[in-house]
Amino acid sequence: MGELDVLAALVADIDTVHVSQGRLTLPLRQAIALLAARRGVAESMMSAFVAVFCREVHAYLQRPNSPGRAATRATVIDALVEHQPDVVIAHSLGSVIAYEALWAMPDIDVDLLITLGSPLGLPNIIFERLLPAPRLGRAHRPPGVRRWVNIADPGDIVAIPRWLARKFDGVNADIEASIHRLDFHRAAAYLRLPNVAAAIAELT
């Protein structure tokens, strides 16, 4: 798996963009142009975003037991143990790391997990490579998490597919909310959503 494989998965799973399945055969620039057209943003902006995201996904998921993956997950586990949070909010690739960290510490009690712009369900690149591995095409909410709310902008090219409940048992709510026409993935834009505050308020 490489950065181009990640980009191929992003392009192939956007409904309004049609390219062949499997390894990317289009030039990188053309694929980025398709994504830019999908969002109506500048191709240069999309190019920079995709380059960073694809590189990070490749670095984290290239091997199940890589030292970098283990160290990243351990950092999150250490934070969970130290702070014992009632709520965990995880964005983008961070939702993948948080998911694996929460599974690695099943005795940690978390009242609410909120995933924002999450690529957890991205086929071939992320979903099948999760730890623990899905079985029969299904994965599950981490055992220490009582409630899971997933929020995705309908045009977020990272949150593919948007509806995590289609692949994960235990997702209590899949919420589609527009954060910005151009600012389609940034964590700060997601955190300003009333849906985030409402999900947390339900705990009180």
Side-chain angles (χ1 to χ4, degrees), residues 58-83:
H58 168 63
Y60 183 73
L61 292 171
Q62 59 180 322
R63 295 194 311 275
N65 299 311
S66 69
R69 185 171 181 174
T72 303
R73 189 167 56 244
T75 298
V76 176
I77 291 172
D78 290 345
L80 291 170
V81 171
E82 179 180 358
H83 299 290

Side-chain angles (χ1 to χ4, degrees), residues 1-203:
M1 181 189 72
E3 290 91 338
L4 289 182
D5 296 293
V6 179
L7 180 57
L10 289 175
V11 174
D13 279 272
I14 291 179
D15 294 337
T16 58
V17 177
H18 301 286
V19 298
S20 60
Q21 296 291 327
R23 292 188 60 83
L24 187 66
T25 56
L26 296 173
L28 179 62
R29 185 179 180 281
Q30 184 178 356
I32 292 171
L34 287 171
L35 292 175
R38 168 72 170 86
R39 288 299 305 156
V41 302
E43 185 177 331
S44 59
M45 183 189 305
M46 184 65 72
S47 177
F49 167 77
V50 169
V52 171
F53 175 75
C54 293
R55 184 173 62 247
E56 290 177 346
V57 169
H58 168 63
Y60 183 73
L61 292 171
Q62 59 180 322
R63 295 194 311 275
N65 299 311
S66 69
R69 185 171 181 174
T72 303
R73 189 167 56 244
T75 298
V76 176
I77 291 172
D78 290 345
L80 291 170
V81 171
E82 179 180 358
H83 299 290
Q84 298 288 314
D86 295 324
V87 178
V88 172
I89 301 177
H91 170 255
S92 192
L93 180 58
S95 67
V96 178
I97 301 167
Y99 176 87
E100 293 189 343
L102 288 165
W103 264 104
M105 298 294 293
D107 294 332
I108 290 180
D109 291 325
V110 172
D111 289 328
L112 175 64
L113 169 64
I114 301 177
T115 49
L116 306 172
S118 174
L120 272 164
L122 185 63
N124 302 318
I125 298 301
I126 292 179
F127 181 70
E128 290 82 1
R129 298 171 185 266
L130 291 172
L131 297 175
R135 298 189 63 184
L136 302 176
R138 300 292 299 177
H140 303 273
R141 182 177 66 201
V145 175
R146 294 188 178 89
R147 180 171 172 79
W148 183 357
V149 173
N150 178 61
I151 304 175
D153 183 295
D156 191 335
I157 65 168
V158 171
I160 299 173
R162 295 191 301 280
W163 314 109
L164 291 186
R166 294 178 180 177
K167 291 193 172 187
F168 293 84
D169 295 328
V171 177
N172 299 95
D174 260 326
I175 299 171
E176 185 178 87
S178 179
I179 58 175
H180 197 280
R181 192 178 80 83
L182 299 180
D183 198 7
F184 56 86
H185 184 65
R186 191 175 302 178
Y190 271 111
L191 290 170
R192 288 193 291 267
L193 286 173
N195 310 81
V196 175
I200 296 173
E202 290 183 8
L203 298 177

